[in-house]
């Protein structure tokens, strides 16, 4: 909640027939209202839709992240940006040469003009690889996350929570290895 009178909440609920659907709630003043989030082109509305991360750096800007299935059956990362009271949706960009499957789970906005989103994509060998996005609105850039020595690409890495105490410093928590038993802190 960026102020005492403006607040946003995200999540999902199980609709019929048992599929998760986005939950996007906004409060401007004393009452909460369900907002209808736009979908990117190619999203299948009768499939999995989930919002799992939210950051509101000001009363007029919020970013929510999550995922959905497209018409080809691929899991796609989703970026929703609220400006004022309206939301826009864009697909999460991916690093060059990777498969289209991706999920976003964390977002932090150290300023109303810059955000960092985290998640993972599936590489050609079927392993999860950490994903880091920077940007805002319809302008996002994807980067492969550099891994510490000894962490092989076949281990699988999922970037999760992100915190940005300033515009130039962010910390990302990531799980590595086949059973996600190793925790990496990326700065």
């Amino acid at each position: 909640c960026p102020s005492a009178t403006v607040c946003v909440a995200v999540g999902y609920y199980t609709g019929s027939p048992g599929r998760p659907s986005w939950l996007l709630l906004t409060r401007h003043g004393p009452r909460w209202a369900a907002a209808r989030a736009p979908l990117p082109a190619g999203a299948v509305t009768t499939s999995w839709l989930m919002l799992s991360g939210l950051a509101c750096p000001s009363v007029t800007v919020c970013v929510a992240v999550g995922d959905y299935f497209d018409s080809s059956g691929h899991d796609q990362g989703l970026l929703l940006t609220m400006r004022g009271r309206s939301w826009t949706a864009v697909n999460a960009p991916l690093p060059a040469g990777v498969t289209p499957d991706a999920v976003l789970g964390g977002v932090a906005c150290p300023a109303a003009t810059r955000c960092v989103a985290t998640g993972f994509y599936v590489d050609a060998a079927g392993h999860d690889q950490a994903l880091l996005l920077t940007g805002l609105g319809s302008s996002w850039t994807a980067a492969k996350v550099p891994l510490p020595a000894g962490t092989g690409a076949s281990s699988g890495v999922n970037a999760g929570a992100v915190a940005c105490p300033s515009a130039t410093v962010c910390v990302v928590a990531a799980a590595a290895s086949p059973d996600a038993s190793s925790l990496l802190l990326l700065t």
Side-chain angles (χ1 to χ4, degrees):
C1 300
S3 79
T5 58
V6 176
C7 204
V8 179
V10 299
Y12 70 95
Y13 64 94
T14 303
S16 63
R19 287 193 276 279
S21 294
W22 293 343
L23 181 62
L24 179 61
L25 302 174
T26 59
R27 185 185 81 192
H28 290 58
R31 295 209 166 105
W32 286 91
R36 184 168 295 279
L39 293 170
V44 177
T45 59
T46 58
S47 184
W48 179 270
L49 305 167
M50 184 177 286
L51 293 173
S52 52
L54 175 70
C56 295
S58 77
V59 295
T60 58
V61 176
C62 287
V63 174
V65 299
D67 63 295
Y68 66 94
F69 280 106
D70 66 16
S71 57
S72 298
H74 294 286
D75 205 2
Q76 297 289 334
L78 174 71
L79 298 156
L80 286 175
T81 302
M82 181 191 80
R83 296 228 184 235
R85 293 186 183 199
S86 65
W87 291 87
T88 56
V90 296
N91 289 328
L94 295 174
V98 301
T99 64
D101 287 305
V103 172
L104 296 177
V107 63
C109 299
T113 57
R114 181 176 177 270
C115 294
V116 175
T118 59
F120 67 93
Y121 64 91
V122 180
D123 67 16
H127 299 109
D128 293 350
Q129 298 299 325
L131 178 61
L132 182 67
L133 305 173
T134 57
L136 188 64
S138 62
S139 179
W140 290 85
T141 303
K144 291 183 179 180
V145 174
L147 299 176
T151 306
S154 63
S155 299
V157 179
N158 183 341
V162 58
C164 299
S166 76
T168 58
V169 176
C170 289
V171 178
V172 177
S177 83
D179 61 1
S181 62
S182 300
L183 180 66
L184 305 172
L185 293 177
L186 308 167
T187 59

